[in-house]
Amino acid sequence: MNLGFLLKKFVSFFVEPLGLVVTLLALGLYLLHVKRERFAKVILSSGLFLLLLFSYPPFANFLVRNLENQYPKFDYKEHVKYIHVLGNEHNTDPTQPISSQISSGGTKRVIEGVIIHKQMPNSKIIFTGYAGDTNTTNALMNAKLAHALGVAYKDMIINGKPVDTKEEALFAKTIIGDEPFVVVTSATHMPRAMMLFTSLGMHPIPAPTNYYKSEFRGYLREPSPFYFYVSSLAIHEYLGILWTKIRG
């Protein structure tokens, strides 16, 4: 893992919802401590407002729907040779079954990839994703789940070196070239993934999964930790898209 990747993770924490709210609240408390009450009230009020805003269901749904509505679900009529399932998160707790060791989003990505693979004779699934803070790569963990679901290892290509979507795309290009292929990832992440793959001259067919959007249920909704999480996912992707555009 290179220094640039770690620096990106560090900086992103402070501009995404959790880091932003924590920073504002901490700064507000410090200003109270040094007797700057007026500024402290402004900063603390801003932190509390953002905490409630990001936790507010209609706002979180607005953020995530703008991402997830960009690509429709896969229609299962395409016939290609490769299906690239992008990495997600996992743990290696031996007391848990493989279905629980992989994150909810990662499990849905693998299941969608397996469904598509079984409808496309002679296709191969590409699994990518690094180990994170564990001793096993996400690519291998996902491959284990796919194998448990009936996919033979000979029909998989496993690479645990890529640490982000750009590196996953670069690896896939060495195998796929400019052939059409299916890319499977979370619906919130799909716009950024498509941007990165197409920037390399590739021809991905989107197969989004792991949706977070919901039907509108009115504005009288109470804040919820779950919707704070949804807002965080969406903001992470918007920042990723912005960073991708800045880098060209």
Side-chain angles (χ1 to χ4, degrees):
M1 194 183 311
N2 58 49
L3 181 60
F5 177 77
L6 293 174
L7 181 61
K8 181 177 69 173
K9 290 292 185 182
F10 177 78
V11 172
S12 66
F13 172 78
F14 292 98
V15 294
E16 292 181 8
L18 178 59
L20 184 58
V21 169
V22 168
T23 300
L24 288 173
L25 294 179
L27 179 58
L29 291 174
Y30 170 76
L31 291 172
L32 277 179
H33 179 71
V34 297
K35 309 301 182 182
R36 302 292 296 275
E37 286 86 357
R38 181 180 177 184
F39 290 109
K41 289 178 181 179
V42 172
I43 298 299
L44 287 171
S45 296
S46 299
L48 181 59
F49 171 76
L50 288 178
L51 176 62
L52 294 174
L53 179 65
F54 289 131
S55 303
Y56 182 52
F59 182 72
N61 199 40
F62 166 76
L63 290 176
V64 81
R65 284 177 68 91
N66 284 337
L67 292 168
E68 295 182 341
N69 285 344
Q70 292 187 34
Y71 295 97
K73 67 178 183 179
F74 189 67
D75 64 7
Y76 306 103
K77 295 179 181 179
E78 301 284 349
H79 291 279
V80 297
K81 184 176 180 181
Y82 296 104
I83 303 152
H84 189 178
V85 176
L86 303 189
N88 201 250
E89 299 175 350
H90 70 279
N91 71 77
T92 52
D93 182 352
T95 67
Q96 300 180 28
I98 185 65
S99 59
S100 183
Q101 289 178 323
I102 300 172
S103 68
S104 175
T107 300
K108 291 176 182 177
R109 294 182 189 189
V110 173
I111 291 174
E112 182 69 9
V114 170
I115 291 172
I116 296 171
H117 166 70
K118 291 191 173 182
Q119 297 192 41
M120 294 184 181
N122 304 314
S123 63
K124 291 186 178 295
I125 306 179
I126 300 173
F127 289 113
T128 50
Y130 75 121
D133 57 1
T134 72
N135 57 5
T136 306
T137 67
N138 185 253
L140 182 57
M141 294 296 292
N142 288 344
K144 287 180 178 179
L145 178 57
H147 183 66
L149 294 173
V151 180
Y153 279 111
K154 67 179 180 62
D155 292 327
M156 305 184 212
I157 298 171
I158 306 166
N159 185 349
K161 293 182 179 180
V163 300
D164 57 20
T165 309
K166 183 63 176 292
E167 291 189 7
E168 290 179 299
L170 288 169
F171 170 71
K173 186 173 176 62
T174 64
I175 297 173
I176 302 170
D178 60 358
E179 292 182 37
F181 69 101
V182 173
V183 58
V184 181
T185 190
S186 299
T188 52
H189 182 238
M190 186 60 77
R192 180 156 59 105
M194 291 292 287
M195 181 184 298
L196 288 166
F197 279 100
T198 55
S199 72
L200 297 176
M202 303 179 73
H203 298 87
I205 301 168
T209 186
N210 189 36
Y211 285 81
Y212 288 95
K213 65 181 181 179
S214 59
E215 295 181 357
F216 179 70
R217 300 175 185 173
Y219 291 106
L220 295 178
R221 303 284 303 282
E222 70 277 8
S224 161
F226 172 74
Y227 285 101
F228 185 90
Y229 172 70
V230 172
S231 291
S232 299
L233 287 175
I235 295 297
H236 176 81
E237 290 305 325
Y238 285 123
L239 291 172
I241 291 170
L242 177 61
W243 177 243
T244 300
K245 290 182 177 180
I246 290 173
R247 295 180 64 187

